[in-house]
Every structure is written in structure tokens, then in C-alpha cells.
Amino acid sequence: SYDQLAQLLIGIVGESAFDELLRRLVFVVASGNNDAHLKNWSLLYPDGIAATLTPLYDQTFAGQWPKLDRNLALKLGGAKPFVAIEMGRFRELARRAGQDPDRAAQLAASTIAQIAEAWTVLRREIAVPDEYLAPLRRHWAAVPVLAPHASQIA
């Protein structure tokens, strides 16, 4: 589960890993990435001793292919379906990782707002095909934690 991953990263990298993991998980949910398995969470040892998370990689929106599974690769706060991801799941992730649930919810909310704003800017700068945009819009509308910002995907 992502909850167990959080515990593992905190143990290896340190407390600072939780915030980065949380931000990345918000992006996984926002991007509808149903393929963020453990292989997507690698460590780097730049000094040969202390571990850090590698840069984010292998992120994709699979919602363009409706026959693919619409669940997260691992459980987040006890749930896998994207439609079950509400703020309480991020709070539960934090609780299980020994972190402050309220702080985690604030970080998740601000990250969602940043992603929505970045999408708004991006949409003004490039043409996004409707074959990509329409499923992404439906995804945001269907995921409770994203739904308040779904209009920004328009």
C-alpha cells in the first residue's frame, strides 16, 4: 500500500520524505495514473550514504483508455478506486505513517490547487486534444478530492 510505502520511506530517507510522497500521490490521483506501482518509487544515494527519492518519472494518464482499470495501483488510506479518494484518505495515510493528518490534508489541498492552476495555465499555452481532455475532465469530476477544481480542467 502507499501507506506502507510512506512508512518505509520515512524510515529510510527521513521525515522529509513524507511531504514529497504526499505531493507525488496527489499528482498520481490528479493525473489518473493507475500504474504507479512500487517500481515508480526509487531511491538515489547521491553521496553513497544518504537516500533521497529519485525525480518523479513514469507518470501517465490512462483514462484515455476506458477499458483499463480505474483503480490506483496500491491502496491509499485503505482504498484503491479513484472514486473513493477523498481528503480523508490522505489524512489516513498520514495517521498510518505517524504524521499529522491535518497538516497532510492542508498539503494535499494546496497541491491539488497548484495542479489545477498549472493546468489552467497549460491549457492557455498549448492545444490539448479532446481525446485527452474529455477523459481527464471526467476523471476530475468523478474523484471527490478533485471535483471542486474540475471546472479548471475545462
Side-chain angles (χ1 to χ4, degrees):
S1 72
Y2 293 118
D3 308 346
Q4 292 168 318
L5 176 62
Q7 293 168 12
L8 183 64
L9 288 176
I10 290 168
I12 295 172
V13 177
E15 294 285 324
S16 64
F18 181 78
D19 287 2
E20 183 60 22
L21 171 75
L22 183 67
R23 285 186 199 96
R24 291 179 187 203
L25 285 174
V26 168
F27 187 77
V28 164
V29 171
S31 65
N33 181 355
N34 64 349
D35 193 42
H37 295 279
L38 290 177
K39 65 179 173 46
N40 300 101
W41 304 90
S42 297
L43 297 175
L44 182 66
Y45 292 83
D47 63 359
I49 299 169
T52 63
L53 278 164
T54 59
L56 187 64
Y57 62 92
D58 195 23
Q59 295 296 308
T60 185
F61 172 55
Q64 303 160 70
W65 301 280
K67 292 183 181 182
L68 292 180
D69 189 13
R70 296 309 309 140
N71 293 315
L72 288 161
L74 305 170
K75 286 185 180 181
L76 170 61
K80 281 182 88 171
F82 281 109
V83 297
I85 305 302
E86 38 80 30
M87 195 57 74
R89 301 296 178 182
F90 291 106
R91 289 178 184 278
E92 183 60 16
L93 169 77
R95 187 192 68 73
R96 292 179 181 186
Q99 302 295 304
D100 180 357
D102 292 334
R103 186 175 166 286
Q106 291 171 351
L107 182 57
S110 67
T111 303
I112 291 166
Q114 289 172 339
I115 293 168
E117 178 59 28
W119 180 254
T120 301
V121 171
L122 181 67
R123 286 281 295 131
R124 286 193 298 255
E125 294 179 4
I126 64 169
V128 178
D130 197 50
E131 295 81 15
Y132 183 91
L133 183 59
L136 184 64
R137 198 178 298 130
R138 285 192 299 273
H139 173 74
W140 274 61
V143 177
V145 76
L146 303 175
H149 298 276
S151 64
Q152 290 179 267
I153 304 302

